[in-house]
Amino acid sequence: MQEDPSSVFNQPEFKASLAKYEQMMQDGIRVYFEAEELTLIAEYYASIGDPTSSEEAIDYALSIHPENLDVQIFKCHSLFSRKKIQEAQQLLYSLPDQNDYEVKLLYIELALIQNDTGKAKRLFEQCYEDYPHIETSLDIAQLYMDYQMKSEAYPWLLKAYKEDPENPETIELMASFQYASENFDEAVKLFNRILDEFPYNVDAWLNLARCHIRMNQIEQAFEALDFALAIDDTNLIAWELKAHCYLEQGETEEAFKCFDYIESHTKDKGYIWNVLMYVHFDLGNFEQVLEYSKKLLEQYPMPENEFDWAEICYRRALACIYLNLADECAKAIIMGLAFNNHDYRLYLVKGELHLMYEEMEKARKNFKYAMQFSPTPKEALVGIAYAFFRTSYFDKALETYQELEQDYPAEAPFFYYFIAFCHFRLNQQEKMFKYLVRGAVYMPELLTNNKKEFPTGEDEAFFKLAFEIIRQIQQGKLDPSPYLDENK
């Protein structure tokens, strides 16, 4: 195998250039760099998950070397990744050497972005005819992979693999392919092959960690991340993966130490605020959801306009529902619908807000909009049922859950405990017992996982009975079969 290309970031020459560049940025004084130095610095920032710094470095390179083709090509790639297609197109058409190999790849990428797969295929084949090398096969496979076209990528990847199965770039791309195809065991073997030869390849350690996370092997993931951080303790991707590992283990305090490190060191504040908003939402920390959604919305429009702003408003509105902040919820809904008036989830929250004010007709009107704009009726029905459930309209919630049970029988076990609780609140003991048994048989774990979604206090009797039924079935003291007949 040849030298690992990523190891250049560990070379003293590069580290000196990076230190010089960062000192320049801190001092605010322009310093001369070679085009290659700045392109490599931009590539480094991109590799550690800091697109803002990467963009700054390449723009500085353009200010010094406006005619340098490599710098312009990197800028094109950057614009593509930020979905600034028109600006990228203009730069691409103006590049001085239209016959350059990398420029031709940019035209192919543009075809993929425009969903012109036929044109992309023709350009790929022509490119390989002009440059019939293993590197070309890998570039073609990589581009297809970048645009989630695994079936088109595989023949080119296999071609490169058969030509040179010991080529490190081929092995790494094959490992990425296996990961994307969810063949995690095979991906682990391939990433370990890379690391046997190149133990300082941070990307390989990170990808190995991702495999272990997907396989729920959190301890092995921690080991891989510790190796990555031993090589580069400033790698923000490693810190984020480590945070998610801690969350998987329920160690939220350690996870937030990692997130705090990222937030204090990244220039891309919006990205980490968005991550933290989602994490706090999943943990039920709704005050923090409001904090981070506010920070995000105050930044609108951010460079690249990269966020789903309606999604942020939806999360904020739902957090307000949980916190009984009706006025703030209404403001978030109005803002969200201004971003996307076809987001069915915002109509669900708006309907629930009307239910809180006992405005049933207004609620139903918004639920009708949610049904109209939802990708599938099921998604809207689940939200409607839950809105009725959360606002204690248990008769209406029950009707909706029964509709779901009838129309989507394969999904029914997800709703059994909610149906049982509706019967409990409606004093329908026999029907409640039937669904408690069904929940215990098909998805007992949901009782614990979803308990925070149920009212508390006087309803503890419901949970005591539900857990007792699970225990009796598991110990063979209760025969569940009479309660599983759908006709009863």
Side-chain angles (χ1 to χ4, degrees):
M1 289 186 176
Q2 49 192 300
E3 184 181 1
D4 170 21
S6 69
S7 66
V8 68
F9 296 145
N10 295 312
Q11 297 297 324
E13 296 84 356
F14 172 75
K15 290 184 176 182
S17 294
L18 181 63
K20 177 181 170 185
Y21 173 80
E22 291 183 338
Q23 187 64 49
M24 177 196 76
M25 295 297 288
Q26 184 176 328
D27 296 341
I29 301 172
R30 288 173 65 89
V31 176
Y32 180 82
F33 288 85
E34 296 291 342
E36 293 79 3
E37 289 180 283
L38 290 168
T39 304
L40 198 56
I41 288 169
E43 187 178 338
Y44 166 76
Y45 282 127
S47 75
I48 63 169
D50 189 349
T52 302
S53 295
S54 178
E55 190 70 17
E56 287 176 352
I58 208 63
D59 284 342
Y60 186 65
L62 278 171
S63 73
I64 302 175
H65 308 282
E67 303 300 323
N68 185 278
L69 184 60
D70 289 337
V71 173
Q72 292 174 314
I73 288 170
F74 192 100
K75 178 67 175 179
C76 260
H77 282 301
S78 177
L79 291 169
F80 279 149
S81 69
R82 293 163 55 207
K83 297 180 174 56
K84 293 193 170 185
I85 310 306
Q86 188 172 359
E87 190 177 340
Q89 224 173 326
Q90 291 173 350
L91 177 57
L92 176 56
Y93 292 157
S94 71
L95 294 179
D97 186 356
Q98 293 286 305
N99 291 316
D100 180 84
Y101 171 73
E102 295 287 343
V103 174
K104 289 182 178 181
L105 289 180
L106 284 170
Y107 275 101
I108 299 171
E109 185 169 2
L110 178 61
L112 291 173
I113 290 170
Q114 296 171 335
N115 292 317
D116 193 343
T117 54
K119 180 179 179 181
K121 183 178 179 181
R122 291 192 300 273
L123 290 172
F124 274 137
E125 290 171 350
Q126 182 60 54
C127 192
Y128 188 77
E129 285 183 19
D130 295 339
Y131 306 95
H133 311 298
I134 188 172
E135 291 81 6
T136 309
S137 297
L138 290 172
D139 285 336
I140 294 171
Q142 182 67 70
L143 269 173
Y144 273 134
M145 289 281 291
D146 289 344
Y147 290 88
Q148 288 77 52
M149 300 171 70
K150 296 196 299 292
S151 59
E152 288 83 357
Y154 188 65
W156 293 99
L157 181 54
L158 194 59
K159 181 183 181 68
Y161 196 76
K162 287 180 177 178
E163 186 175 338
D164 185 0
E166 298 302 314
N167 183 293
E169 292 181 23
T170 306
I171 296 170
E172 197 151 14
L173 189 55
M174 181 63 83
S176 297
F177 175 86
Q178 297 296 348
Y179 176 85
S181 303
E182 300 189 1
N183 299 324
F184 302 121
D185 285 328
E186 189 60 32
V188 165
K189 293 176 187 175
L190 291 167
F191 284 126
N192 276 319
R193 278 183 64 187
I194 290 289
L195 291 165
D196 286 342
E197 287 291 325
F198 306 118
Y200 294 99
N201 186 326
V202 174
D203 287 341
W205 283 115
L206 296 177
N207 286 325
L208 182 61
R210 290 185 176 102
C211 290
H212 287 305
I213 291 170
R214 293 295 299 274
M215 297 166 76
N216 201 30
Q217 298 171 343
I218 303 304
E219 289 303 324
Q220 292 92 322
F222 271 124
E223 290 176 12
L225 292 169
D226 286 342
F227 276 112
L229 288 168
I231 299 165
D232 179 6
D233 63 0
T234 65
N235 190 290
L236 299 183
I237 296 173
W239 282 106
E240 184 177 349
L241 290 172
K242 196 164 190 178
H244 288 294
C245 286
Y246 279 126
L247 289 175
E248 283 293 316
Q249 292 191 325
E251 298 183 48
T252 55
E253 187 175 341
E254 292 301 317
F256 283 112
K257 287 179 183 178
C258 297
F259 286 129
D260 288 345
Y261 178 88
I262 299 168
E263 189 173 4
S264 62
H265 286 79
T266 184
K267 292 184 180 179
D268 193 1
K269 300 296 185 187
Y271 172 80
I272 194 60
W273 291 341
N274 198 45
V275 170
L276 283 164
M277 181 190 70
Y278 275 94
V279 169
H280 283 298
F281 189 92
D282 289 341
L283 292 172
N285 301 332
F286 298 116
E287 292 87 354
Q288 285 77 20
V289 173
L290 296 188
E291 175 190 344
Y292 284 105
S293 60
K294 182 172 185 280
K295 286 183 176 184
L296 284 163
L297 292 167
E298 285 175 345
Q299 300 298 311
Y300 178 82
M302 297 183 79
E304 304 98 39
N305 203 21
E306 62 192 42
F307 296 113
D308 183 342
W309 297 100
E311 166 81 16
I312 294 168
C313 292
Y314 163 70
R315 299 277 171 174
R316 181 174 179 82
L318 202 52
C320 289
I321 287 281
Y322 280 107
L323 295 170
N324 292 313
L325 300 174
D327 291 342
E328 282 300 312
C329 179
K331 291 176 186 177
I333 292 168
I334 292 168
M335 187 181 298
L337 290 173
F339 289 122
N340 180 5
N341 64 0
H342 286 180
D343 191 317
Y344 79 99
R345 299 164 306 170
L346 287 163
Y347 290 106
L348 289 173
V349 182
K350 191 175 182 182
E352 185 170 347
L353 187 60
H354 285 300
L355 290 178
M356 291 170 65
Y357 287 107
E358 300 183 358
E359 298 170 339
M360 180 60 72
E361 288 308 310
K362 290 181 179 179
R364 288 193 181 280
K365 181 180 178 180
N366 281 282
F367 291 154
K368 185 177 179 181
Y369 284 132
M371 290 291 292
Q372 178 182 342
F373 297 125
S374 175
T376 67
K378 184 192 78 173
E379 293 178 35
L381 282 171
V382 170
I384 292 167
Y386 195 41
F388 281 133
F389 185 90
R390 199 156 41 204
T391 51
S392 298
Y393 286 88
F394 295 109
D395 55 339
K396 302 292 189 298
L398 183 58
E399 289 174 10
T400 315
Y401 280 127
Q402 287 172 335
E403 184 178 350
L404 283 162
E405 185 181 19
Q406 179 178 337
D407 294 346
Y408 306 96
E411 306 286 331
F414 289 98
F415 314 127
Y416 284 156
Y417 280 117
F418 290 104
I419 294 173
F421 192 87
C422 289
H423 285 305
F424 169 76
R425 278 300 194 91
L426 295 170
N427 200 27
Q428 298 168 347
Q429 300 299 314
E430 187 175 344
K431 292 179 180 179
M432 174 198 71
F433 194 85
K434 178 177 76 171
Y435 282 97
L436 284 178
V437 172
R438 290 181 176 185
V441 170
Y442 294 111
M443 283 195 171
E445 69 277 7
L446 292 185
L447 186 63
T448 301
N449 295 346
N450 290 337
K451 187 173 180 181
K452 65 180 180 180
E453 306 295 348
F454 292 83
T456 56
E458 69 273 16
D459 301 310
E460 277 303 313
F462 172 84
F463 292 101
K464 288 180 181 178
L465 178 58
F467 284 116
E468 177 62 18
I469 288 172
I470 292 173
R471 187 184 67 80
Q472 289 193 22
I473 291 174
Q474 290 175 345
Q475 292 180 357
K477 296 179 180 179
L478 173 62
D479 178 12
S481 55
Y483 303 95
L484 305 182
D485 186 346
E486 295 297 333
N487 296 318
K488 290 186 177 181

